[in-house]
Amino acid sequence: MLLNPSKSSPMNVKTVKPCESFPREESSSSSSNESAQQQSHSNTADDESVVVSTTMKLFPILTPSAHSLVSMFIPRKKALSPLRFVPRNPRVRAVTPSPEEVEKERTCLVYLIRHGEASHNVLEKAAQRRAKEQAEAKGLSPEQVQECMEQARIAVLTDESLRDASLSEQGRHDAERARHQLNDLARHHGLSLPSKVLVSPLTRTLETADLIFPSHGAIQVREEIVERKTGKPCDCRSSSNTLSSRPSFRRFQMEALRQTSFLEKEGSSCSSNEADSSFDEEEETQPSYSKIDPASRRWMSDSRSNRHHILDRRLSDPTEEDKETLRARTQKLLGLLDEPSIAVVTHKGYLRELERGTLGQTDAKEFGNGEIRVYRIHLDANQTLEKAERVV
């Protein structure tokens, strides 16, 4: 029997509103899933209401259970999950430096070493001790005591017998102790021993390097790491000829020292005759002309005619450095760090400005005689300091 939806049916059919006929079924999932699907269910409920309302108009004689059966075959809209971007190639392509830049970037392990006690250090300590006793006997304030001690220390350094001072007996013991300490540090902390040694050209540092590295084959003497230039005899180095004539220094590489200054006799207070004879002596033993850099060649071309003028100028007006100038000079060390592990044997004043200035260790204490500190220095492709880490 076909039903005609256009005619009213004689059957007593109870009219049920869509919202009453088709209550939403309770979900058996947890409350967390209900809250996550709430938005998608609300959209689906609207669609179902429209379909049920239309069905009731077309087939009014259908019972509520029949309407429920119809709704079972109506597909629900699937809830859309939150958008998630999935790249076609999940691997992130990083910007890597070129091989040339990688080669220039480096990390260097640097052993900073102060020389052992020198003869002028002995006199300094004795003068300071006497000055302290005298100042305290007079009842001076602590600030005045320190001032008297500093004046006494500077006064003894003008002694000409202290020219290019050597190590004292205690200083030699300091160097021997430092040799054992360096080996112990490397073994205990798993550090590599220095493959190259840079040393100041003053005698006390050369003697220290000779005792700490008795069989090292790559010890370079560098003017760049010399002590602050004060004009005092103890800070005036000997000529390269004088230094290389000592049997213990003959294995040291002094080519860079000779090229740094063609006039090797740097003693600011030495006599004119002594400096002049040293000039002639050095001229005979200079490296071959082809091995000298162009700047030094131009200087050498007119050096004979100007040598007496240069000597007079250096002797009468010696170059001195203040702390700011020395601190700027310490940055040159970064350009010399071309090995994975390097030792630098130098002086208290130089090390103080290097740590507090170039390495950024503003609170660093002054080095003691024979003391060793180890840094790991990171340089970028432009040979600029990125980071300096104190290791020991």
Side-chain angles (χ1 to χ4, degrees), residues 195-218:
S195 56
K196 185 170 76 171
V197 180
L198 304 177
V199 56
S200 162
L202 290 171
T203 296
R204 55 188 181 271
T205 47
L206 296 172
E207 291 177 340
T208 301
D210 178 57
L211 293 170
I212 297 179
F213 306 99
S215 58
H216 205 290

mmCIF file with all atom_site columns, all heavy atoms in Angstrom, residues 195-218:
data_model
loop_
_atom_site.group_PDB
_atom_site.id
_atom_site.type_symbol
_atom_site.label_atom_id
_atom_site.label_alt_id
_atom_site.label_comp_id
_atom_site.label_asym_id
_atom_site.label_entity_id
_atom_site.label_seq_id
_atom_site.pdbx_PDB_ins_code
_atom_site.Cartn_x
_atom_site.Cartn_y
_atom_site.Cartn_z
_atom_site.occupancy
_atom_site.B_iso_or_equiv
_atom_site.pdbx_formal_charge
_atom_site.auth_seq_id
_atom_site.auth_comp_id
_atom_site.auth_asym_id
_atom_site.auth_atom_id
_atom_site.pdbx_PDB_model_num
ATOM 1   N N   . SER A 1 195 ? 101.836 22.012 21.613 1.00 0.00 ? 195 SER A N   1
ATOM 2   C CA  . SER A 1 195 ? 102.581 21.657 20.404 1.00 0.00 ? 195 SER A CA  1
ATOM 3   C C   . SER A 1 195 ? 103.499 22.785 19.958 1.00 0.00 ? 195 SER A C   1
ATOM 4   O O   . SER A 1 195 ? 104.386 22.580 19.125 1.00 0.00 ? 195 SER A O   1
ATOM 5   C CB  . SER A 1 195 ? 101.610 21.302 19.272 1.00 0.00 ? 195 SER A CB  1
ATOM 6   O OG  . SER A 1 195 ? 100.709 22.375 19.036 1.00 0.00 ? 195 SER A OG  1
ATOM 7   N N   . LYS A 1 196 ? 103.275 23.980 20.502 1.00 0.00 ? 196 LYS A N   1
ATOM 8   C CA  . LYS A 1 196 ? 104.141 25.129 20.201 1.00 0.00 ? 196 LYS A CA  1
ATOM 9   C C   . LYS A 1 196 ? 104.253 25.988 21.442 1.00 0.00 ? 196 LYS A C   1
ATOM 10  O O   . LYS A 1 196 ? 103.322 26.067 22.241 1.00 0.00 ? 196 LYS A O   1
ATOM 11  C CB  . LYS A 1 196 ? 103.580 25.943 19.032 1.00 0.00 ? 196 LYS A CB  1
ATOM 12  C CG  . LYS A 1 196 ? 104.499 27.087 18.604 1.00 0.00 ? 196 LYS A CG  1
ATOM 13  C CD  . LYS A 1 196 ? 104.052 27.718 17.297 1.00 0.00 ? 196 LYS A CD  1
ATOM 14  C CE  . LYS A 1 196 ? 102.858 28.603 17.454 1.00 0.00 ? 196 LYS A CE  1
ATOM 15  N NZ  . LYS A 1 196 ? 102.553 29.370 16.230 1.00 0.00 ? 196 LYS A NZ  1
ATOM 16  N N   . VAL A 1 197 ? 105.405 26.634 21.599 1.00 0.00 ? 197 VAL A N   1
ATOM 17  C CA  . VAL A 1 197 ? 105.659 27.493 22.754 1.00 0.00 ? 197 VAL A CA  1
ATOM 18  C C   . VAL A 1 197 ? 106.039 28.874 22.249 1.00 0.00 ? 197 VAL A C   1
ATOM 19  O O   . VAL A 1 197 ? 106.947 29.017 21.420 1.00 0.00 ? 197 VAL A O   1
ATOM 20  C CB  . VAL A 1 197 ? 106.781 26.929 23.648 1.00 0.00 ? 197 VAL A CB  1
ATOM 21  C CG1 . VAL A 1 197 ? 107.030 27.851 24.835 1.00 0.00 ? 197 VAL A CG1 1
ATOM 22  C CG2 . VAL A 1 197 ? 106.441 25.520 24.127 1.00 0.00 ? 197 VAL A CG2 1
ATOM 23  N N   . LEU A 1 198 ? 105.336 29.892 22.723 1.00 0.00 ? 198 LEU A N   1
ATOM 24  C CA  . LEU A 1 198 ? 105.685 31.291 22.450 1.00 0.00 ? 198 LEU A CA  1
ATOM 25  C C   . LEU A 1 198 ? 106.321 31.863 23.700 1.00 0.00 ? 198 LEU A C   1
ATOM 26  O O   . LEU A 1 198 ? 105.781 31.701 24.800 1.00 0.00 ? 198 LEU A O   1
ATOM 27  C CB  . LEU A 1 198 ? 104.436 32.098 22.079 1.00 0.00 ? 198 LEU A CB  1
ATOM 28  C CG  . LEU A 1 198 ? 103.601 31.577 20.909 1.00 0.00 ? 198 LEU A CG  1
ATOM 29  C CD1 . LEU A 1 198 ? 102.355 32.441 20.714 1.00 0.00 ? 198 LEU A CD1 1
ATOM 30  C CD2 . LEU A 1 198 ? 104.430 31.542 19.632 1.00 0.00 ? 198 LEU A CD2 1
ATOM 31  N N   . VAL A 1 199 ? 107.449 32.540 23.535 1.00 0.00 ? 199 VAL A N   1
ATOM 32  C CA  . VAL A 1 199 ? 108.172 33.034 24.703 1.00 0.00 ? 199 VAL A CA  1
ATOM 33  C C   . VAL A 1 199 ? 108.648 34.456 24.449 1.00 0.00 ? 199 VAL A C   1
ATOM 34  O O   . VAL A 1 199 ? 109.041 34.819 23.334 1.00 0.00 ? 199 VAL A O   1
ATOM 35  C CB  . VAL A 1 199 ? 109.366 32.106 25.043 1.00 0.00 ? 199 VAL A CB  1
ATOM 36  C CG1 . VAL A 1 199 ? 110.300 31.947 23.866 1.00 0.00 ? 199 VAL A CG1 1
ATOM 37  C CG2 . VAL A 1 199 ? 110.111 32.582 26.277 1.00 0.00 ? 199 VAL A CG2 1
ATOM 38  N N   . SER A 1 200 ? 108.595 35.268 25.478 1.00 0.00 ? 200 SER A N   1
ATOM 39  C CA  . SER A 1 200 ? 109.097 36.641 25.431 1.00 0.00 ? 200 SER A CA  1
ATOM 40  C C   . SER A 1 200 ? 110.614 36.623 25.264 1.00 0.00 ? 200 SER A C   1
ATOM 41  O O   . SER A 1 200 ? 111.292 35.716 25.755 1.00 0.00 ? 200 SER A O   1
ATOM 42  C CB  . SER A 1 200 ? 108.714 37.377 26.720 1.00 0.00 ? 200 SER A CB  1
ATOM 43  O OG  . SER A 1 200 ? 109.484 38.535 26.910 1.00 0.00 ? 200 SER A OG  1
ATOM 44  N N   . PRO A 1 201 ? 111.196 37.624 24.592 1.00 0.00 ? 201 PRO A N   1
ATOM 45  C CA  . PRO A 1 201 ? 112.640 37.624 24.343 1.00 0.00 ? 201 PRO A CA  1
ATOM 46  C C   . PRO A 1 201 ? 113.508 38.061 25.520 1.00 0.00 ? 201 PRO A C   1
ATOM 47  O O   . PRO A 1 201 ? 114.732 38.157 25.368 1.00 0.00 ? 201 PRO A O   1
ATOM 48  C CB  . PRO A 1 201 ? 112.792 38.602 23.169 1.00 0.00 ? 201 PRO A CB  1
ATOM 49  C CG  . PRO A 1 201 ? 111.653 39.549 23.314 1.00 0.00 ? 201 PRO A CG  1
ATOM 50  C CD  . PRO A 1 201 ? 110.524 38.728 23.868 1.00 0.00 ? 201 PRO A CD  1
ATOM 51  N N   . LEU A 1 202 ? 112.927 38.334 26.676 1.00 0.00 ? 202 LEU A N   1
ATOM 52  C CA  . LEU A 1 202 ? 113.747 38.686 27.831 1.00 0.00 ? 202 LEU A CA  1
ATOM 53  C C   . LEU A 1 202 ? 114.366 37.419 28.427 1.00 0.00 ? 202 LEU A C   1
ATOM 54  O O   . LEU A 1 202 ? 113.781 36.331 28.385 1.00 0.00 ? 202 LEU A O   1
ATOM 55  C CB  . LEU A 1 202 ? 112.919 39.414 28.875 1.00 0.00 ? 202 LEU A CB  1
ATOM 56  C CG  . LEU A 1 202 ? 112.484 40.837 28.468 1.00 0.00 ? 202 LEU A CG  1
ATOM 57  C CD1 . LEU A 1 202 ? 111.493 41.408 29.466 1.00 0.00 ? 202 LEU A CD1 1
ATOM 58  C CD2 . LEU A 1 202 ? 113.676 41.751 28.314 1.00 0.00 ? 202 LEU A CD2 1
ATOM 59  N N   . THR A 1 203 ? 115.552 37.570 29.005 1.00 0.00 ? 203 THR A N   1
ATOM 60  C CA  . THR A 1 203 ? 116.319 36.403 29.449 1.00 0.00 ? 203 THR A CA  1
ATOM 61  C C   . THR A 1 203 ? 115.571 35.568 30.472 1.00 0.00 ? 203 THR A C   1
ATOM 62  O O   . THR A 1 203 ? 115.614 34.334 30.441 1.00 0.00 ? 203 THR A O   1
ATOM 63  C CB  . THR A 1 203 ? 117.673 36.865 30.019 1.00 0.00 ? 203 THR A CB  1
ATOM 64  O OG1 . THR A 1 203 ? 118.438 37.482 28.964 1.00 0.00 ? 203 THR A OG1 1
ATOM 65  C CG2 . THR A 1 203 ? 118.462 35.705 30.576 1.00 0.00 ? 203 THR A CG2 1
ATOM 66  N N   . ARG A 1 204 ? 114.875 36.202 31.403 1.00 0.00 ? 204 ARG A N   1
ATOM 67  C CA  . ARG A 1 204 ? 114.210 35.450 32.455 1.00 0.00 ? 204 ARG A CA  1
ATOM 68  C C   . ARG A 1 204 ? 113.104 34.542 31.918 1.00 0.00 ? 204 ARG A C   1
ATOM 69  O O   . ARG A 1 204 ? 112.864 33.461 32.460 1.00 0.00 ? 204 ARG A O   1
ATOM 70  C CB  . ARG A 1 204 ? 113.649 36.408 33.514 1.00 0.00 ? 204 ARG A CB  1
ATOM 71  C CG  . ARG A 1 204 ? 112.716 37.510 33.008 1.00 0.00 ? 204 ARG A CG  1
ATOM 72  C CD  . ARG A 1 204 ? 112.405 38.474 34.128 1.00 0.00 ? 204 ARG A CD  1
ATOM 73  N NE  . ARG A 1 204 ? 111.516 39.571 33.787 1.00 0.00 ? 204 ARG A NE  1
ATOM 74  C CZ  . ARG A 1 204 ? 111.914 40.728 33.305 1.00 0.00 ? 204 ARG A CZ  1
ATOM 75  N NH1 . ARG A 1 204 ? 113.213 40.953 33.072 1.00 0.00 ? 204 ARG A NH1 1
ATOM 76  N NH2 . ARG A 1 204 ? 111.036 41.696 33.056 1.00 0.00 ? 204 ARG A NH2 1
ATOM 77  N N   . THR A 1 205 ? 112.416 34.968 30.852 1.00 0.00 ? 205 THR A N   1
ATOM 78  C CA  . THR A 1 205 ? 111.395 34.102 30.258 1.00 0.00 ? 205 THR A CA  1
ATOM 79  C C   . THR A 1 205 ? 112.032 33.009 29.401 1.00 0.00 ? 205 THR A C   1
ATOM 80  O O   . THR A 1 205 ? 111.528 31.879 29.367 1.00 0.00 ? 205 THR A O   1
ATOM 81  C CB  . THR A 1 205 ? 110.427 34.937 29.408 1.00 0.00 ? 205 THR A CB  1
ATOM 82  O OG1 . THR A 1 205 ? 111.174 35.831 28.559 1.00 0.00 ? 205 THR A OG1 1
ATOM 83  C CG2 . THR A 1 205 ? 109.508 35.758 30.291 1.00 0.00 ? 205 THR A CG2 1
ATOM 84  N N   . LEU A 1 206 ? 113.117 33.329 28.723 1.00 0.00 ? 206 LEU A N   1
ATOM 85  C CA  . LEU A 1 206 ? 113.808 32.318 27.924 1.00 0.00 ? 206 LEU A CA  1
ATOM 86  C C   . LEU A 1 206 ? 114.359 31.202 28.817 1.00 0.00 ? 206 LEU A C   1
ATOM 87  O O   . LEU A 1 206 ? 114.269 30.016 28.468 1.00 0.00 ? 206 LEU A O   1
ATOM 88  C CB  . LEU A 1 206 ? 114.929 32.966 27.117 1.00 0.00 ? 206 LEU A CB  1
ATOM 89  C CG  . LEU A 1 206 ? 114.480 33.986 26.053 1.00 0.00 ? 206 LEU A CG  1
ATOM 90  C CD1 . LEU A 1 206 ? 115.698 34.693 25.458 1.00 0.00 ? 206 LEU A CD1 1
ATOM 91  C CD2 . LEU A 1 206 ? 113.676 33.305 24.954 1.00 0.00 ? 206 LEU A CD2 1
ATOM 92  N N   . GLU A 1 207 ? 114.933 31.579 29.940 1.00 0.00 ? 207 GLU A N   1
ATOM 93  C CA  . GLU A 1 207 ? 115.443 30.564 30.870 1.00 0.00 ? 207 GLU A CA  1
ATOM 94  C C   . GLU A 1 207 ? 114.300 29.717 31.437 1.00 0.00 ? 207 GLU A C   1
ATOM 95  O O   . GLU A 1 207 ? 114.450 28.491 31.616 1.00 0.00 ? 207 GLU A O   1
ATOM 96  C CB  . GLU A 1 207 ? 116.215 31.239 31.998 1.00 0.00 ? 207 GLU A CB  1
ATOM 97  C CG  . GLU A 1 207 ? 117.529 31.871 31.553 1.00 0.00 ? 207 GLU A CG  1
ATOM 98  C CD  . GLU A 1 207 ? 118.242 32.602 32.675 1.00 0.00 ? 207 GLU A CD  1
ATOM 99  O OE1 . GLU A 1 207 ? 117.575 32.948 33.676 1.00 0.00 ? 207 GLU A OE1 1
ATOM 100 O OE2 . GLU A 1 207 ? 119.459 32.827 32.556 1.00 0.00 ? 207 GLU A OE2 1
ATOM 101 N N   . THR A 1 208 ? 113.176 30.362 31.707 1.00 0.00 ? 208 THR A N   1
ATOM 102 C CA  . THR A 1 208 ? 112.027 29.617 32.212 1.00 0.00 ? 208 THR A CA  1
ATOM 103 C C   . THR A 1 208 ? 111.528 28.614 31.181 1.00 0.00 ? 208 THR A C   1
ATOM 104 O O   . THR A 1 208 ? 111.238 27.452 31.502 1.00 0.00 ? 208 THR A O   1
ATOM 105 C CB  . THR A 1 208 ? 110.893 30.585 32.598 1.00 0.00 ? 208 THR A CB  1
ATOM 106 O OG1 . THR A 1 208 ? 111.361 31.496 33.601 1.00 0.00 ? 208 THR A OG1 1
ATOM 107 C CG2 . THR A 1 208 ? 109.689 29.837 33.132 1.00 0.00 ? 208 THR A CG2 1
ATOM 108 N N   . ALA A 1 209 ? 111.409 29.047 29.926 1.00 0.00 ? 209 ALA A N   1
ATOM 109 C CA  . ALA A 1 209 ? 110.955 28.148 28.863 1.00 0.00 ? 209 ALA A CA  1
ATOM 110 C C   . ALA A 1 209 ? 111.922 26.988 28.660 1.00 0.00 ? 209 ALA A C   1
ATOM 111 O O   . ALA A 1 209 ? 111.505 25.853 28.398 1.00 0.00 ? 209 ALA A O   1
ATOM 112 C CB  . ALA A 1 209 ? 110.782 28.927 27.564 1.00 0.00 ? 209 ALA A CB  1
ATOM 113 N N   . ASP A 1 210 ? 113.221 27.269 28.776 1.00 0.00 ? 210 ASP A N   1
ATOM 114 C CA  . ASP A 1 210 ? 114.220 26.215 28.610 1.00 0.00 ? 210 ASP A CA  1
ATOM 115 C C   . ASP A 1 210 ? 114.082 25.140 29.693 1.00 0.00 ? 210 ASP A C   1
ATOM 116 O O   . ASP A 1 210 ? 114.264 23.947 29.414 1.00 0.00 ? 210 ASP A O   1
ATOM 117 C CB  . ASP A 1 210 ? 115.613 26.837 28.644 1.00 0.00 ? 210 ASP A CB  1
ATOM 118 C CG  . ASP A 1 210 ? 116.705 25.806 28.515 1.00 0.00 ? 210 ASP A CG  1
ATOM 119 O OD1 . ASP A 1 210 ? 116.707 25.052 27.516 1.00 0.00 ? 210 ASP A OD1 1
ATOM 120 O OD2 . ASP A 1 210 ? 117.563 25.725 29.423 1.00 0.00 ? 210 ASP A OD2 1
ATOM 121 N N   . LEU A 1 211 ? 113.739 25.549 30.905 1.00 0.00 ? 211 LEU A N   1
ATOM 122 C CA  . LEU A 1 211 ? 113.610 24.586 32.003 1.00 0.00 ? 211 LEU A CA  1
ATOM 123 C C   . LEU A 1 211 ? 112.269 23.838 31.964 1.00 0.00 ? 211 LEU A C   1
ATOM 124 O O   . LEU A 1 211 ? 112.210 22.655 32.316 1.00 0.00 ? 211 LEU A O   1
ATOM 125 C CB  . LEU A 1 211 ? 113.765 25.306 33.346 1.00 0.00 ? 211 LEU A CB  1
ATOM 126 C CG  . LEU A 1 211 ? 115.157 25.871 33.626 1.00 0.00 ? 211 LEU A CG  1
ATOM 127 C CD1 . LEU A 1 211 ? 115.142 26.761 34.868 1.00 0.00 ? 211 LEU A CD1 1
ATOM 128 C CD2 . LEU A 1 211 ? 116.168 24.736 33.807 1.00 0.00 ? 211 LEU A CD2 1
ATOM 129 N N   . ILE A 1 212 ? 111.209 24.501 31.553 1.00 0.00 ? 212 ILE A N   1
ATOM 130 C CA  . ILE A 1 212 ? 109.904 23.837 31.503 1.00 0.00 ? 212 ILE A CA  1
ATOM 131 C C   . ILE A 1 212 ? 109.801 22.909 30.299 1.00 0.00 ? 212 ILE A C   1
ATOM 132 O O   . ILE A 1 212 ? 109.193 21.832 30.377 1.00 0.00 ? 212 ILE A O   1
ATOM 133 C CB  . ILE A 1 212 ? 108.774 24.878 31.474 1.00 0.00 ? 212 ILE A CB  1
ATOM 134 C CG1 . ILE A 1 212 ? 108.775 25.720 32.760 1.00 0.00 ? 212 ILE A CG1 1
ATOM 135 C CG2 . ILE A 1 212 ? 107.411 24.213 31.306 1.00 0.00 ? 212 ILE A CG2 1
ATOM 136 C CD1 . ILE A 1 212 ? 107.709 26.796 32.793 1.00 0.00 ? 212 ILE A CD1 1
ATOM 137 N N   . PHE A 1 213 ? 110.400 23.308 29.171 1.00 0.00 ? 213 PHE A N   1
ATOM 138 C CA  . PHE A 1 213 ? 110.334 22.519 27.939 1.00 0.00 ? 213 PHE A CA  1
ATOM 139 C C   . PHE A 1 213 ? 111.755 22.170 27.486 1.00 0.00 ? 213 PHE A C   1
ATOM 140 O O   . PHE A 1 213 ? 112.251 22.712 26.488 1.00 0.00 ? 213 PHE A O   1
ATOM 141 C CB  . PHE A 1 213 ? 109.600 23.303 26.850 1.00 0.00 ? 213 PHE A CB  1
ATOM 142 C CG  . PHE A 1 213 ? 108.232 23.784 27.255 1.00 0.00 ? 213 PHE A CG  1
ATOM 143 C CD1 . PHE A 1 213 ? 108.046 25.094 27.688 1.00 0.00 ? 213 PHE A CD1 1
ATOM 144 C CD2 . PHE A 1 213 ? 107.137 22.943 27.208 1.00 0.00 ? 213 PHE A CD2 1
ATOM 145 C CE1 . PHE A 1 213 ? 106.787 25.546 28.057 1.00 0.00 ? 213 PHE A CE1 1
ATOM 146 C CE2 . PHE A 1 213 ? 105.879 23.382 27.581 1.00 0.00 ? 213 PHE A CE2 1
ATOM 147 C CZ  . PHE A 1 213 ? 105.704 24.682 28.006 1.00 0.00 ? 213 PHE A CZ  1
ATOM 148 N N   . PRO A 1 214 ? 112.441 21.278 28.195 1.00 0.00 ? 214 PRO A N   1
ATOM 149 C CA  . PRO A 1 214 ? 113.862 21.020 27.917 1.00 0.00 ? 214 PRO A CA  1
ATOM 150 C C   . PRO A 1 214 ? 114.135 20.377 26.571 1.00 0.00 ? 214 PRO A C   1
ATOM 151 O O   . PRO A 1 214 ? 115.264 20.496 26.056 1.00 0.00 ? 214 PRO A O   1
ATOM 152 C CB  . PRO A 1 214 ? 114.269 20.090 29.064 1.00 0.00 ? 214 PRO A CB  1
ATOM 153 C CG  . PRO A 1 214 ? 113.003 19.437 29.503 1.00 0.00 ? 214 PRO A CG  1
ATOM 154 C CD  . PRO A 1 214 ? 111.928 20.450 29.305 1.00 0.00 ? 214 PRO A CD  1
ATOM 155 N N   . SER A 1 215 ? 113.157 19.702 25.982 1.00 0.00 ? 215 SER A N   1
ATOM 156 C CA  . SER A 1 215 ? 113.394 19.023 24.703 1.00 0.00 ? 215 SER A CA  1
ATOM 157 C C   . SER A 1 215 ? 112.372 19.401 23.643 1.00 0.00 ? 215 SER A C   1
ATOM 158 O O   . SER A 1 215 ? 112.218 18.684 22.647 1.00 0.00 ? 215 SER A O   1
ATOM 159 C CB  . SER A 1 215 ? 113.376 17.496 24.924 1.00 0.00 ? 215 SER A CB  1
ATOM 160 O OG  . SER A 1 215 ? 112.132 17.075 25.485 1.00 0.00 ? 215 SER A OG  1
ATOM 161 N N   . HIS A 1 216 ? 111.663 20.497 23.845 1.00 0.00 ? 216 HIS A N   1
ATOM 162 C CA  . HIS A 1 216 ? 110.643 20.917 22.879 1.00 0.00 ? 216 HIS A CA  1
ATOM 163 C C   . HIS A 1 216 ? 111.323 21.475 21.629 1.00 0.00 ? 216 HIS A C   1
ATOM 164 O O   . HIS A 1 216 ? 112.281 22.246 21.722 1.00 0.00 ? 216 HIS A O   1
ATOM 165 C CB  . HIS A 1 216 ? 109.728 21.970 23.502 1.00 0.00 ? 216 HIS A CB  1
ATOM 166 C CG  . HIS A 1 216 ? 108.376 22.036 22.879 1.00 0.00 ? 216 HIS A CG  1
ATOM 167 N ND1 . HIS A 1 216 ? 108.153 22.504 21.610 1.00 0.00 ? 216 HIS A ND1 1
ATOM 168 C CD2 . HIS A 1 216 ? 107.148 21.678 23.352 1.00 0.00 ? 216 HIS A CD2 1
ATOM 169 C CE1 . HIS A 1 216 ? 106.868 22.463 21.334 1.00 0.00 ? 216 HIS A CE1 1
ATOM 170 N NE2 . HIS A 1 216 ? 106.233 21.954 22.388 1.00 0.00 ? 216 HIS A NE2 1
ATOM 171 N N   . GLY A 1 217 ? 110.795 21.104 20.457 1.00 0.00 ? 217 GLY A N   1
ATOM 172 C CA  . GLY A 1 217 ? 111.412 21.525 19.204 1.00 0.00 ? 217 GLY A CA  1
ATOM 173 C C   . GLY A 1 217 ? 110.737 22.675 18.508 1.00 0.00 ? 217 GLY A C   1
ATOM 174 O O   . GLY A 1 217 ? 111.131 23.020 17.382 1.00 0.00 ? 217 GLY A O   1
ATOM 175 N N   . ALA A 1 218 ? 109.717 23.286 19.108 1.00 0.00 ? 218 ALA A N   1
ATOM 176 C CA  . ALA A 1 218 ? 109.000 24.391 18.444 1.00 0.00 ? 218 ALA A CA  1
ATOM 177 C C   . ALA A 1 218 ? 108.787 25.535 19.422 1.00 0.00 ? 218 ALA A C   1
ATOM 178 O O   . ALA A 1 218 ? 107.655 25.857 19.803 1.00 0.00 ? 218 ALA A O   1
ATOM 179 C CB  . ALA A 1 218 ? 107.671 23.895 17.885 1.00 0.00 ? 218 ALA A CB  1
#
